[in-house]
C-alpha cells in the first residue's frame, strides 16, 4: 500500500511538472542550466557564446558573441542616451545663439523621438536578456552532449532541425518578429503617451504626468473631454456595434436561408447579385449615400416629388435620425458578407441531424431552433466576436457617412461619433495625443472584456471537438 501511495505521489508530482499538454519541460531550461552548468556554461550568460566556442561550436558561438557586441554598441552609442532621457522625456528647449553676427537656432530635445527610441531601447534590452538565456542554454546543451559521449549539434544540424522537429520555431519566428515590431512596439508607444502631457500645447517637449489624463477623461472637470462625454460616446459605440453586428447577422441569415430553399430558382443569380454589391468599393458607396441623404439631396427630393413628405427629412442633421440612418446603411453594406458566410455553412449542416428531427416529428421552426441555429452559432461565434470588435472600430461607415455629425456646440465629439472616430478627431484634428491614447486604452479594455466573456461562454470554446 505504501509503495502504491508513493508511486501515485510521484505521478502527481510529474504531472505538476508537466505543462498543460502533458509534455515534460525541457531538460535544458534556464534554471536547470544555471544550476547544473559548469564554469564555462555559466560564463556564457555574460559572455555570449563562450561555452559554444570552448566546445568547438564556432559558428554558433560567434553568432551569439556578435549579437552581444552589436547590442552593447547600440546601447552605448544611442540606446543608453535615450534610456537616460526616458525618465524626463527631455528638458533642453530650442535656443538661438549669435554666430559671426547671425542668429543660429540650436535644436533642443524632441520628446516624441526620445519616447520612441526609449521604448525601442527597452525592447533591445529585453532582447539582450533573451539572448543571454539562449546562450546559457545552448552552452549547457553542448556540455550535456559531451558528458554523454555525444557530439554537440553543428550549426547545420540546428538549422535543419528548424525545418523538422523544431519546425514550429522556424515557422513562427518571422510572424512573431512582425507582431513584436509592428504591433507590440507601437502599442507600448501609444500606451506610454497616455501618461504624458503630449497635447496641442506641448507638441515638442512634454513630460510624464502619471494618471492625470485618465482623471481628465473619467472626471467632470469640463473641457473637450470629460466623463459625461466619454460614457455617452461609449454607450452609443456599444449600441451601434450590437445592432450593426446582430441585425446584419440575423437578416443575412434569413436571406441566406430563403435563397437556399429548394423552391427558390436561380440561386446562382441571387448569390451573384450580392457578390457584385461587395465588389463596389465601400468608400464610394458611403460617399454617394452621404450626398444623397443631404437636406437637398436626391432622396429628399424624390420623396417630395412623390408627395410622401412635405419637407426635407433630417437624415443626418438630427441625432436620432442620423443614428438610425447609419445602422440602416450599414445593413445594406454588411448583409451580403453575412449571406456569403452562412450560405456555405447551411450547405454543410449534417443531414442526419435534420433526419433525426423529422423522425421525432419536429416542424420547420423546431428544426430551425434546435438544429440550424445552434449549428450556425457554434461555427460563427468567433466570427461574430471579431465582427463586433470590427464594428466598435468601424471608422469608415461613421466618418464617411456622417463625419460624427451632428455635433453640439463646443463638444469635441458628435452624436454619431464612435470611440475610434472621436480618437481620430482628438489626435489628428486637435493634436491631443495623450487623451487620444487614453481613449484607445479604454476602447481596448472594453473590447477585451466583452470578447473574452462572450467567447468563454460559447460552445466553440467549451466544446472544441465538434458540434453535438
Amino acid at each position: 500500500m505504501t509503495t502504491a501511495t508513493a508511486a501515485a505521489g510521484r505521478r502527481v508530482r510529474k504531472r505538476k511538472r508537466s505543462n498543460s499538454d502533458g509534455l515534460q519541460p525541457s531538460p535544458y531550461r534556464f534554471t536547470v542550466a544555471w544550476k547544473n552548468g559548469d564554469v564555462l556554461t555559466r560564463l556564457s550568460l555574460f559572455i555570449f557564446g563562450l561555452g559554444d566556442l570552448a566546445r568547438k561550436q564556432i559558428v554558433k558561438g560567434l553568432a551569439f558573441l556578435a549579437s552581444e557586441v552589436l547590442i552593447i554598441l547600440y546601447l552605448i552609442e544611442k540606446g543608453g542616451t535615450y534610456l537616460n532621457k526616458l525618465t524626463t522625456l527631455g528638458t533642453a528647449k530650442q535656443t538661438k545663439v549669435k554666430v559671426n553676427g547671425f542668429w543660429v537656432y540650436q535644436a533642443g530635445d524632441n520628446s516624441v523621438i526620445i519616447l520612441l527610441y526609449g521604448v525601442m531601447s527597452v525592447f533591445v534590452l529585453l532582447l539582450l536578456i533573451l539572448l543571454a538565456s539562449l546562450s546559457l542554454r545552448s552552452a549547457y546543451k553542448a556540455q550535456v552532449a559531451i558528458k554523454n559521449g555525444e557530439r554537440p549539434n553543428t550549426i547545420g544540424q540546428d538549422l535543419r532541425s528548424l525545418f523538422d522537429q523544431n519546425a514550429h520555431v522556424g515557422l513562427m519566428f518571422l510572424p512573431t518578429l512582425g507582431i513584436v515590431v509592428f504591433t507590440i512596439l507601437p502599442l507600448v508607444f501609444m500606451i506610454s503617451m497616455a501618461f504624458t502631457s503630449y497635447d496641442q500645447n506641448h507638441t515638442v517637449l512634454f513630460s510624464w504626468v502619471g494618471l492625470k489624463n485618465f482623471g481628465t477623461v473619467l472626471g467632470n472637470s469640463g473641457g473637450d473631454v470629460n466623463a459625461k462625454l466619454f460614457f455617452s460616446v461609449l454607450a452609443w459605440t456599444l449600441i451601434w456595434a450590437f445592432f450593426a453586428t446582430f441585425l446584419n447577422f440575423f437578416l443575412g441569415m434569413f436571406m441566406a436561408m430563403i435563397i437556399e430553399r429548394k423552391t427558390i430558382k436561380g440561386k446562382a443569380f441571387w448569390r451573384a447579385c450580392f457578390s457584385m454589391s461587395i465588389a463596389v468599393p465601400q468608400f464610394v458607396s458611403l460617399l454617394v449615400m452621404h450626398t444623397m441623404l443631404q437636406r437637398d439631396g436626391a432622396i429628399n427630393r424624390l420623396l417630395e416629388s412623390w408627395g410622401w413628405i412635405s419637407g426635407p427629412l433630417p437624415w443626418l442633421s438630427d441625432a436620432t435620425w442620423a443614428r438610425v440612418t447609419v445602422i440602416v446603411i450599414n445593413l445594406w453594406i454588411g448583409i451580403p458578407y453575412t449571406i456569403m458566410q452562412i450560405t456555405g455553412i447551411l450547405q454543410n449542416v449534417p443531414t442526419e441531424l435534420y433526419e433525426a428531427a423529422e423522425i421525432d416529428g419536429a416542424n420547420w421552426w423546431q428544426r430551425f431552433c434546435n438544429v440550424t441555429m445552434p449549428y450556425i452559432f457554434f461555427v460563427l461565434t468567433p466570427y461574430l466576436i471579431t465582427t463586433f470588435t470590427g464594428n466598435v472600430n468601424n471608422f469608415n461607415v461613421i466618418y464617411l457617412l456622417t463625419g460624427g455629425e451632428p455635433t453640439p456646440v463646443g463638444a469635441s465629439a458628435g452624436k454619431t461619433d464612435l470611440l475610434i472616430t472621436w480618437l481620430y478627431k482628438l489626435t489628428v484634428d486637435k493634436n491631443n495625443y495623450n487623451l487620444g491614447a487614453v481613449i484607445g486604452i479604454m476602447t481596448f479594455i472594453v473590447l477585451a472584456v466583452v470578447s473574452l466573456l462572450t467567447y468563454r461562454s460559447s460552445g466553440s470554446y467549451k466544446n472544441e471537438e465538434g458540434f453535438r
Side-chain angles (χ1 to χ4, degrees):
M1 186 68 177
T2 304
T3 304
T5 304
R10 286 194 297 271
R11 286 195 297 270
V12 171
R13 289 192 295 273
K14 186 176 181 180
R15 282 196 298 270
K16 287 182 178 180
R17 289 195 298 268
S18 303
N19 59 26
S20 60
D21 295 326
L23 302 176
Q24 293 298 316
S26 171
Y28 308 110
R29 59 190 183 276
F30 181 86
T31 53
V32 175
W34 180 258
K35 180 180 179 180
N36 300 327
D38 57 18
V39 176
L40 288 173
T41 298
R42 293 186 178 185
L43 284 176
S44 298
L45 185 65
F46 309 100
I47 305 174
F48 296 178
L50 179 62
D52 292 315
L53 290 171
R55 296 179 177 100
K56 299 182 179 180
Q57 291 187 293
I58 305 301
V59 177
K60 186 187 297 186
L62 289 176
F64 275 120
L65 185 60
S67 301
E68 181 182 22
V69 171
L70 290 174
I71 291 176
I72 291 176
L73 286 176
Y74 168 79
L75 292 175
I76 293 174
E77 291 291 327
K78 267 190 176 180
T81 303
Y82 288 112
L83 285 173
N84 184 46
K85 291 184 177 182
L86 191 59
T87 55
T88 61
L89 296 177
T91 56
K93 297 181 179 180
Q94 178 179 275
T95 59
K96 64 178 182 177
V97 295
K98 186 172 282 188
V99 178
N100 298 326
F102 296 95
W103 288 106
V104 177
Y105 286 91
Q106 293 181 343
D109 291 329
N110 189 314
S111 296
V112 176
I113 295 177
I114 292 173
L115 181 60
L116 176 60
Y117 281 97
V119 170
M120 288 177 58
S121 298
V122 171
F123 274 80
V124 171
L125 275 177
L126 295 176
L127 175 62
L128 184 67
I129 295 171
L130 175 62
L131 289 175
S133 173
L134 293 176
S135 174
L136 175 69
R137 293 170 61 188
S138 177
Y140 178 66
K141 190 174 182 180
Q143 173 191 329
V144 172
I146 293 175
K147 184 179 179 181
N148 294 334
E150 302 172 356
R151 182 181 177 183
N153 286 346
T154 63
I155 186 67
Q157 290 173 320
D158 285 335
L159 290 176
R160 284 193 294 272
S161 72
L162 294 177
F163 298 94
D164 191 4
Q165 64 267 29
N166 293 322
H168 60 285
V169 177
L171 293 174
M172 292 303 296
F173 173 74
L174 288 178
T176 303
L177 181 63
I179 290 173
V180 171
V181 174
F182 298 108
T183 302
I184 297 179
L185 180 59
L187 185 63
V188 173
F189 178 65
M190 184 274 290
I191 291 174
S192 301
M193 284 186 183
F195 302 94
T196 70
S197 58
Y198 186 19
D199 57 18
Q200 56 188 340
N201 299 319
H202 306 87
T203 56
V204 178
L205 273 181
F206 49 84
S207 60
W208 298 106
V209 294
L211 298 175
K212 180 181 177 181
N213 297 321
F214 289 86
T216 300
V217 173
L218 301 177
N220 293 312
S221 57
D224 288 344
V225 181
N226 53 66
K228 181 180 179 181
L229 185 58
F230 171 77
F231 286 110
S232 174
V233 176
L234 174 62
W236 160 241
T237 300
L238 294 177
I239 292 171
W240 149 263
F242 177 83
F243 282 105
T245 300
F246 290 100
L247 282 180
N248 278 344
F249 173 74
F250 285 109
L251 293 178
M253 178 181 64
F254 287 127
M255 292 188 71
M257 292 179 65
I258 291 173
I259 293 174
E260 287 301 310
R261 286 177 62 88
K262 296 179 180 179
T263 56
I264 297 297
K265 297 181 179 180
K267 292 182 172 60
F269 170 77
W270 297 114
R271 294 190 191 116
C273 289
F274 288 110
S275 299
M276 290 174 63
S277 67
I278 295 175
V280 179
Q282 189 181 96
F283 81 95
V284 174
S285 302
L286 292 173
L287 290 177
V288 170
M289 291 303 303
H290 173 77
T291 303
M292 294 176 65
L293 290 169
Q294 293 299 313
R295 188 175 184 83
D296 297 325
I299 293 180
N300 276 329
R301 289 187 176 184
L302 187 63
L303 294 177
E304 286 179 349
S305 67
W306 289 349
W308 290 8
I309 58 176
S310 57
L313 297 177
W315 298 106
L316 303 178
S317 56
D318 179 80
T320 303
W321 278 81
R323 288 178 173 181
V324 174
T325 299
V326 294
I327 291 174
V328 172
I329 297 299
N330 187 67
L331 291 177
W332 171 53
I333 293 173
I335 281 179
Y337 292 94
T338 307
I339 292 175
M340 296 298 105
Q341 289 272 353
I342 294 181
T343 297
I345 295 173
L346 291 175
Q347 294 173 349
N348 288 281
V349 178
T351 55
E352 59 268 19
L353 296 178
Y354 287 120
E355 292 172 356
E358 290 177 1
I359 292 174
D360 292 338
N363 56 33
W364 70 271
W365 178 250
Q366 291 172 326
R367 291 197 298 271
F368 170 76
C369 293
N370 294 289
V371 178
T372 307
M373 195 66 181
Y375 186 85
I376 292 175
F377 265 125
F378 177 82
V379 176
L380 286 185
T381 296
Y383 167 76
L384 287 174
I385 294 173
T386 56
T387 302
F388 181 86
T389 303
N391 282 321
V392 169
N393 293 319
N394 198 331
F395 181 87
N396 289 347
V397 173
I398 300 299
Y399 193 80
L400 295 176
L401 192 59
T402 68
E405 300 292 338
T407 303
V409 177
S412 61
K415 292 297 184 179
T416 57
D417 265 321
L418 305 180
L419 289 174
I420 187 67
T421 57
W422 188 28
L423 186 156
Y424 176 84
K425 290 179 178 180
L426 288 173
T427 53
V428 176
D429 295 344
K430 298 192 175 183
N431 294 328
N432 288 324
Y433 292 95
N434 51 352
L435 298 179
V438 172
I439 293 173
I441 293 173
M442 302 299 289
T443 304
F444 169 77
I445 293 173
V446 170
L447 287 176
V449 171
V450 172
S451 299
L452 288 175
L453 290 178
T454 305
Y455 184 63
R456 288 180 66 88
S457 61
S458 67
S460 300
Y461 175 82
K462 294 179 180 178
N463 182 16
E464 296 181 354
E465 294 181 358
F467 176 76
R468 296 289 183 268

